[in-house]
């Protein structure tokens, strides 16, 4: 009986296999075309136009005082924001997984608020709280610390969301075994918990850094965009676009793209490291 | 943990979240509603505001529709097929995460702007992309590109393709297999990806600011309108418009919370 069934089935299978597989090539064609038209060709054009007046011109644009200080400010502030949220993000993830607080579910949900909130809205809310007429008396407007606060806000969820699942899966048995063998709390944290969460912490921090590098909307109000002082790279590029200086905008964009690309590659390496440990 | 260190950690974390998340959002809600509802109603019902909401909705829906088709197609391709350049495609899909919105706007302008050779040719044929809706849709699509793919791909990998193969042996066409088996099993993840994309699309600021040209009453979206009102010292209006976007974000957050598959969004 079953032999009969398979005999009956076979021709249908053959017929299907013989038909040329049109589906994947149409899907593939659309995916590649869409990606090229929307992402790849435009990005390639930015890199291409950055050398409109040769490499000398490119370097001249990148090394102009305001462009250079904007890049410097962006990289330094992004690094600080990523490192602060490395510590705070890990602490928040710990609190969410290992602590029992009333309202923990709500806390868990609002952590993602910076992901969902439009950046310009973040900018308006931050200048309301930390601006010149701050109701809590903290004025960070037009200062580098204002830029930092904006970057801390937009990068907050990254480390939390990468570390939280790892902490959830962490086995208590190992910690208990270590404790039974006389390990102190600090030793347990340093020798068991830290090595387990380290790759996730690193991945989250890298994502946060990449996000901060590219930030525009949330910094545009609170920073005041003082060239050479509080102007971040994205705002500098925006200014160059408004001035119609294509080479200037494209050159700084290319540097920003290059830094982001390095960061993405780094993230990839970290994630493969994580995959291998799993 | 000792109770002292536990309370220390709690205090530090809660203080940090209070200053960074709760107080800023609380202050804007307070400032919006402090004079009651009528000033909010007045500012949000002007023709400019209505137009901004309309444009935002049109652009976001178009971009999300495109990204949904792209996202499902790319996820199926990456998970179900092996082809040369697969890993490169995989990496390229994440590229938009690391690109500044302003650079996105610049990039599209340099290819499709009316003063470039291709954009000029398009303009001669009556197609305007930059300073117009198509460019805004492309910019929005760019920034939200990875979200649907990254929400759907892990689920697609997890469910495997045994059921699809079984359906194929029973004579189901590729289209039938997709609509009857694949689509129902990725429904939840797809909804999650769509909600995330929609939230991102409705709030996009930098990329749209560059490609729209911020033509008031023509290409101005709500996020651009917020800045416009703020810069024109219409703070009541700016706070009201911003609060409307906060509410959209909160709805998206709660929805995504219920839709989130286990493991959440797997970025790259």
């Amino acid at each position: 009986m079953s032999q009969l069934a398979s005999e009956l089935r076979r021709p249908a299978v053959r017929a299907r296999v013989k038909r040329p597989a049109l589906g994947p090539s149409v899907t593939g064609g659309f995916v590649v075309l869409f990606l090229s038209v929307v992402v790849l060709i435009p990005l390639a054009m930015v890199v291409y136009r950055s050398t409109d007046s040769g490499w000398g011109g490119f370097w001249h644009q990148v090394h102009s005082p305001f462009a250079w200080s904007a890049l410097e400010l962006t990289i330094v502030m992004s690094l600080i924001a990523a490192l602060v949220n490395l510590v705070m993000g890990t602490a928040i993830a710990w609190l969410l997984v290992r602590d029992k607080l009333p309202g923990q579910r709500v806390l868990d949900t609002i952590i993602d608020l910076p992901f969902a909130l439009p950046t310009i809205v973040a900018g308006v809310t931050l200048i309301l709280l930390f601006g010149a007429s701050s109701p809590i008396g903290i004025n960070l407007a037009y200062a580098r610390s204002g830029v930092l606060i904006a970057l801390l806000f937009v990068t907050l969820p990254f480390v939390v969301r990468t570390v939280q699942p790892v902490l959830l899966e962490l086995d208590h048995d190992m910690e208990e075994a270590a404790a039974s063998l006389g390990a102190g709390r600090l030793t347990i944290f340093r020798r068991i918990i830290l090595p387990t969460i380290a790759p996730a912490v690193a991945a989250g921090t890298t994502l946060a850094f990449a996000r901060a590098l590219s930030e525009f909307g949330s910094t545009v109000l609170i920073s005041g965009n003082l060239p050479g002082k509080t102007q971040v790279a994205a705002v500098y590029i925006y200014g160059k676009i408004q001035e119609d200086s294509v080479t200037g905008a494209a050159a700084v964009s290319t540097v920003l793209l290059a830094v982001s690309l390095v960061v993405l590659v780094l993230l990839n390496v970290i994630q493969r490291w994580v995959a291998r440990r799993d | 943990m000792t109770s002292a260190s536990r309370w220390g950690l709690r205090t530090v974390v809660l203080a940090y979240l209070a200053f960074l998340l709760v107080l800023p959002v609380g202050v804007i809600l307070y400032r919006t509603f402090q004079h009651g509802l009528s000033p909010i109603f007045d500012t949000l019902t002007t023709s400019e505001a209505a137009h901004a909401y309309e444009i935002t909705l049109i652009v976001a829906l178009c971009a999300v529709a495109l990204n949904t088709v792209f996202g499902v197609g790319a996820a199926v391709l990456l998970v179900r097929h092996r082809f040369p350049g697969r890993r490169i495609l995989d990496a390229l899909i994440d590229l938009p995460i690391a690109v500044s919105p302003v650079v996105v706007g610049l990039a599209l302008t340099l290819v499709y702007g009316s003063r470039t050779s291709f954009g000029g040719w398009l303009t001669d044929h009556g197609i305007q992309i930059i300073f117009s809706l198509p460019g805004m849709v492309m910019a929005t699509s760019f920034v939200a590109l990875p979200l649907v793919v990254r929400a759907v791909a892990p689920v697609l990998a997890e469910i495997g393709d045994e059921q699809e193969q079984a359906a194929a042996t029973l004579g189901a066409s590729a289209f039938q297999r997709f609509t009857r088996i694949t689509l129902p099993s990725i429904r939840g993840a797809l909804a999650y990806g769509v909600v995330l994309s929609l939230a991102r699309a409705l709030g996009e600021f930098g990329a749209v600011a560059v490609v729209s040209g911020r033509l008031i009453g023509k290409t101005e979206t709500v996020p651009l309108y917020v800045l416009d009102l703020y810069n024109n010292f219409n703070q009541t209006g700016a706070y009201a418009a911003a609060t409307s976007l906060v509410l959209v974000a909160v709805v998206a957050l709660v929805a995504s919370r219920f839709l989130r598959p286990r493991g959440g969004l797997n970025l790259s």
Side-chain angles (χ1 to χ4, degrees), chain B residues 165-230:
Chain B
Q165 283 179 358
T169 60
L170 295 171
S173 71
F175 181 74
Q176 282 176 317
R177 273 175 280 148
F178 181 74
T179 52
R180 300 264 187 93
I181 294 165
T182 316
L183 213 50
S185 49
I186 60 171
R187 204 174 39 198
L190 186 59
Y192 177 63
V194 167
V195 167
L196 291 181
S197 303
L198 198 60
R200 188 81 172 77
L202 289 171
E204 179 47 32
F205 173 71
V208 171
V210 175
V211 297
S212 71
R214 299 171 65 181
L215 310 171
I216 296 168
K218 273 184 81 181
T219 61
E220 199 173 49
T221 62
V222 182
L224 300 175
Y225 186 56
V226 170
L227 184 64
D228 214 41
L229 290 169
Y230 190 86

Side-chain angles (χ1 to χ4, degrees), chain A residues 37 85 94 99 108 272, chain B residues 1 10 16 87 100 112 257:
Chain A
V37 167
N85 274 338
W94 182 270
D99 207 341
D108 192 23
R272 257 186 243 168
Chain B
M1 245 195 297
R10 283 176 178 177
Y16 187 70
R87 291 202 37 195
S100 174
Y112 303 106
R257 170 95 196 165

Side-chain angles (χ1 to χ4, degrees), chain A residues 9 12-13 16 19 23-25 27-32 34-43 45-46 49 81 84-85 88-89 91-92 94-95 98-101 105 107-121 124-130 133 135-136 138 149 152-153 156 158 161 164-165 185 207 210-211 213-218 220-221 234-235 237-238 241-242 244 246 249-250 253-254 256-257 260-261 264 267-268 271-272, chain B residues 1-2 6-7 9-10 12-14 16-25 27-28 31 66-67 69-70 72-74 76-77 81 87 89 91-112 115-116 138-139 141-142 145 168-174 177 199-200 202-207 209-210 214 223-224 226-227 230-231 238-239 241-243 245-246 249-250 252-254 256-258 260 263 266-268:
Chain A
R9 213 187 300 124
V13 174
R16 195 189 64 80
R19 244 185 0 227
S25 49
T27 316
F30 172 74
V31 165
V32 171
F34 190 74
L35 197 64
S36 306
V37 167
V38 175
V39 177
L40 301 179
I41 297 171
L43 284 183
M45 196 53 113
V46 171
R49 293 295 298 272
V84 171
N85 274 338
M88 292 312 299
I92 294 166
W94 182 270
L95 194 81
R98 290 294 176 93
D99 207 341
K100 295 260 178 297
L101 276 178
R105 297 270 312 256
L107 204 65
D108 192 23
T109 306
I110 65 164
I111 292 294
D112 280 334
L113 195 65
F115 279 164
L117 207 63
T119 54
I120 188 66
V121 176
V124 172
T125 61
L126 289 174
I127 199 156
L128 254 179
L129 188 65
F130 299 108
S133 54
I136 51 170
I138 303 174
I149 257 298
L152 285 176
F153 179 86
L156 173 72
F158 287 101
R161 289 304 176 225
Q164 194 181 15
R185 287 171 203 287
L207 279 171
R211 177 74 171 79
L213 281 180
S214 60
E215 186 48 28
F216 175 65
S218 65
V220 82
L221 287 175
V235 177
I237 295 166
Y238 186 74
I241 297 171
Q242 301 303 88
D244 236 1
V246 168
S253 297
T254 303
L256 213 53
L257 278 174
S260 300
L261 211 63
L264 264 194
L267 178 63
N268 207 296
Q271 275 167 340
R272 257 186 243 168
Chain B
M1 245 195 297
T2 61
R6 170 173 295 146
W7 279 103
L9 185 74
R10 283 176 178 177
V12 171
V13 164
L14 293 179
Y16 187 70
L17 292 178
F19 274 91
L20 211 52
L21 284 182
V22 181
L23 277 177
V25 175
V27 169
I28 198 164
R31 293 295 296 270
L66 280 172
N67 281 5
V69 176
F70 172 85
V72 173
V76 168
L77 217 58
H81 299 280
R87 291 202 37 195
L89 180 68
L92 286 179
I93 284 172
D94 285 331
L95 199 58
I97 298 174
V99 180
S100 174
V102 179
V103 179
V104 173
L106 173 71
L108 291 170
T109 310
L110 291 183
V111 177
Y112 303 106
R115 278 178 300 163
T116 63
M138 282 168 99
S141 194
F142 187 128
L145 198 71
T169 60
L170 295 171
S173 71
R177 273 175 280 148
R200 188 81 172 77
L202 289 171
E204 179 47 32
F205 173 71
V210 175
R214 299 171 65 181
L224 300 175
V226 170
L227 184 64
Y230 190 86
N231 285 339
Y239 300 153
T243 296
L245 291 174
V246 171
V250 169
L253 260 192
V254 174
S256 70
R257 170 95 196 165
F258 284 108
R260 184 165 64 196
N266 187 12
L267 288 171
S268 71

Side-chain angles (χ1 to χ4, degrees), chain A residues 54-197:
Chain A
W55 281 105
F58 173 85
W59 183 242
H60 175 75
Q61 289 293 348
V62 172
H63 213 251
S64 71
F66 290 159
W68 193 254
S69 70
L71 282 168
E72 208 171 41
L73 175 73
T74 306
I75 293 172
V76 170
M77 285 301 158
S78 301
L79 209 59
I80 297 174
L83 292 176
V84 171
N85 274 338
L86 180 162
V87 176
M88 292 312 299
T90 310
I92 294 166
W94 182 270
L95 194 81
L96 288 176
V97 174
R98 290 294 176 93
D99 207 341
K100 295 260 178 297
L101 276 178
Q104 207 148 6
R105 297 270 312 256
V106 178
L107 204 65
D108 192 23
T109 306
I110 65 164
I111 292 294
D112 280 334
L113 195 65
F115 279 164
L117 207 63
T119 54
I120 188 66
V121 176
V124 172
T125 61
L126 289 174
I127 199 156
L128 254 179
L129 188 65
F130 299 108
S133 54
S134 166
I136 51 170
I138 303 174
N139 183 4
L140 307 176
Y142 302 172
R144 294 187 159 194
S145 50
V147 175
L148 183 62
I149 257 298
L151 297 182
L152 285 176
F153 179 86
V154 295
T155 59
L156 173 72
F158 287 101
V159 174
V160 182
R161 289 304 176 225
T162 49
V163 173
Q164 194 181 15
V166 182
L167 270 182
L168 269 173
E169 275 177 25
L170 191 66
D171 211 344
H172 280 273
D173 293 355
M174 265 208 294
E175 290 164 57
E176 279 161 18
S180 74
L181 294 170
R185 287 171 203 287
L186 200 65
T187 314
I188 293 175
F189 185 76
R190 199 166 51 83
R191 300 286 292 271
I192 294 173
I193 297 167
L194 211 53
T196 319
I197 64 170

